[in-house]
Amino acid sequence: PEDAKQMLEVDLDTMKARVNNMHLCLNAAAFPLALSSQSRGGPILQSRGGSKSTRGGPVQDATGGALPVWIRVCTRVDPLERVLAQLSKVRGIERGVLVVSIDRDEMEGVLRLLLAVDFMQVRVYMHPFTETRTGLGFGDWDTGVHRLNSHYIFGLRLTLEAMNFRYVITLEDDLLPAPDFYEFHENLWPLADSDESVA
């Protein structure tokens, strides 16, 4: 557009960081959050059925704890659309929290797809590359590998530190989960949490 303004990536990343501080939930009406002091500082996920599950807490039973499914995406819409379609068929996925971190500046197509997700809570975060690049000592250059690595670190820090989860399920935007994908992790999580030899 004629009235479009060019922006430096560092300025865009400052805006991304501000947006991230809002912890955007794209489908909060279907998956409302209520704050609780008993959830290690994190919100409680209220599912459609009315059962509560703590974000990051132990999975006590089928509804006892929400595990995060983190997807790192860039601008590719087609593979993400297939992953989301398959994720909607995963048993128990409504008990999870989909955490999506988006890289680059062309995110409209990705956001449109995420707005249509109605099977689990969706949290969206923007990867502020210039901030993570500086923190990792990458300097002012980017080979692509630096951006990819800093995005991985950003997503893991986001879910494990900022969101206070102790376990995170990672997906790529081109890996299709099996129907028992979430149940597998619900069963693995208590073992991984109780045994330090399980990574």
Side-chain angles (χ1 to χ4, degrees), residues 11 63 86 110 175 193-194:
D11 296 327
T63 60
Q86 188 66 27
V110 170
L175 292 176
D193 192 48
S194 65

Side-chain angles (χ1 to χ4, degrees), residues 107-156:
M107 56 189 81
E108 184 178 350
V110 170
L111 289 173
R112 285 184 197 276
L113 284 178
L114 296 174
L115 281 168
V117 172
D118 62 357
F119 52 87
M120 69 188 302
Q121 185 191 108
V122 178
R123 301 307 215 87
V124 175
Y125 297 86
M126 315 302 174
H127 174 222
F129 174 61
T130 58
E131 289 185 9
T132 55
R133 173 182 66 195
T134 302
L136 295 170
F138 289 157
D140 290 337
W141 48 281
D142 171 24
T143 64
V145 173
H146 291 95
R147 182 178 291 270
L148 182 67
N149 289 340
S150 72
H151 197 168
Y152 278 118
I153 292 168
F154 169 76
L156 291 173

